Amino acid sequence: MPATDRARRLAETAALAAADKLAHDVVAIDVSERLPLTDCFVIASAPNERQVQAVVDNVEEKLRALDAKPVRREGTQEARWVLLDFGDVVVHVFHGEEREFYGLERLWKDCPALTLPDEVYGPPRDQTAAGE
C-alpha cells in the first residue's frame, strides 16, 4: 500500500521547510511497502551543525502547524545526523559528510521517490546569466 495522503503532505511540507533553510539535496522516499513503521523518509543535508539545527527547527515548526509532533528526536545534541520521527514520516537531516557515509538513498534505492514541489530545488537557473 503506497504512502497515505497525510504522509505525502507531511513529507512535502518537511521538504519545503528544509529547503527554506537552505538545505540541499532534499529528497523524499516512499518506504511504506518495505517498512511497516512509517510511510516516508525525507532526507536533507546541510554544510554545518548550525545549519542542520536551523533546518530541524524549521521542519518541526512547519509540521507542528499541521498538528504533527515528533514522537522521537535523536541526534540534536551533535547535529550531525538528526532524526525526527513524526510517525507517518521520518525526517533525516544530515551534515554532508554523514549523509555520504551512511548513504540512506542507496539503502532504500528500490523504493520510489516522491515528487516534490519545484521550490524544494531552488529557483530555476537563468541560463543566459550562466553563459550557456
Side-chain angles (χ1 to χ4, degrees):
M1 180 171 195
T4 65
D5 289 341
R6 175 167 171 76
R8 288 174 177 273
R9 190 170 45 256
L10 292 176
E12 183 177 304
T13 301
L16 286 166
D20 187 46
K21 291 301 178 182
L22 305 180
H24 54 89
D25 299 327
V26 180
V27 297
I29 304 169
D30 181 343
V31 296
S32 61
E33 295 288 327
R34 305 270 177 164
L35 197 59
L37 302 173
T38 192
D39 281 356
C40 301
F41 282 170
V42 175
I43 305 169
S45 298
N48 58 57
E49 292 85 355
R50 187 174 183 178
Q51 194 69 31
V52 167
Q53 194 57 53
V55 170
V56 166
D57 290 345
N58 202 43
V59 167
E60 285 187 308
E61 179 183 330
K62 299 299 184 188
L63 291 187
R64 193 176 308 115
L66 298 177
D67 292 324
K69 295 180 181 138
V71 293
R72 187 173 65 165
R73 302 170 81 225
E74 293 184 16
T76 54
Q77 293 285 52
E78 299 84 16
R80 303 283 298 175
W81 175 2
V82 177
L83 180 145
L84 300 170
D85 182 352
F86 291 92
D88 295 330
V89 174
V90 175
V91 179
H92 302 269
V93 183
F94 283 98
H95 189 283
E97 295 167 2
E98 272 69 15
R99 182 170 180 176
E100 187 175 326
F101 180 78
Y102 290 105
L104 288 186
E105 289 100 328
R106 286 189 310 271
L107 293 172
W108 298 97
K109 68 183 176 192
D110 57 340
C111 294
L114 297 176
T115 302
L116 296 171
D118 290 340
E119 296 86 3
V120 170
Y121 307 108
R125 257 182 54 192
D126 180 1
Q127 292 189 356
T128 57
E132 298 180 65

